[in-house]
Amino acid sequence: RSGGIWRMVASVGVSVTFPLLFVRGKTRLLPWLAATAIILHVGIEAIGRHASGLSGIAIGMAGTTFAVLVVLCAMLGVLAPVARGIVWAAAVFGAIGALCFGLPGVVFGSVMAAVLGLVAYALVLRFAKPAGLLDAWAYLRKELA
């Protein structure tokens, strides 16, 4: 559980960044990156499992996925803005999620809190339109245009 959210953030970053390498024609190092990532994943997950069980595996996967994201962003020359964007987005959406799901979780049972949290989260994203989300969409549209 402890590394799950960070692995999710890194996985989204990799999923968005990886295709851009093909768009920009920077694929020469991808086989080496893939081989290195697999070796790192296996080794670090074995160490993490031995040290902390499933939590160690989750933390190890988050770390190695972030390492892949760092290399992909460096290959594209966008490491600094992506790092700032990920930190900002994680902070903003984490705070929104904590408020939307945490407050109902304190007052109501788990099912009702989940339903109310989902509705509140959807409403916040619909009407607040956080700057990080707008920036991400604008960047994606620019890259794909």
Side-chain angles (χ1 to χ4, degrees):
R1 178 173 177 224
S2 51
I5 189 73
W6 293 110
R7 185 176 186 287
M8 184 171 52
V9 168
S11 294
V12 169
V14 169
S15 297
V16 170
T17 307
F18 186 72
L20 293 175
L21 290 166
F22 290 93
V23 171
R24 292 197 176 168
K26 298 186 177 204
T27 59
R28 183 176 54 90
L29 297 177
L30 287 179
W32 295 104
L33 176 60
T36 303
I38 289 171
I39 292 167
L40 282 175
H41 271 306
V42 171
I44 291 175
E45 299 342 305
I47 293 167
R49 186 178 135 242
H50 180 69
S52 300
L54 289 177
S55 292
I57 291 172
I59 291 168
M61 289 181 73
T64 53
T65 306
F66 261 111
V68 169
L69 178 59
V70 167
V71 172
L72 293 177
C73 289
M75 290 170 66
L76 288 169
V78 295
L79 185 55
V82 167
R84 281 191 305 273
I86 285 176
V87 169
W88 179 249
V92 168
F93 288 102
I96 292 170
L99 288 173
C100 291
F101 289 95
L103 292 177
V106 171
V107 178
F108 300 103
S110 58
V111 173
M112 179 61 86
V115 170
L116 290 174
L118 180 62
V119 170
Y121 196 77
L123 288 171
V124 167
L125 292 182
R126 170 72 176 102
F127 293 109
K129 296 182 182 168
L133 183 60
L134 295 175
D135 291 345
W137 278 111
Y139 176 78
L140 184 61
R141 286 187 186 120
K142 183 179 103 179
E143 286 297 320
L144 296 176

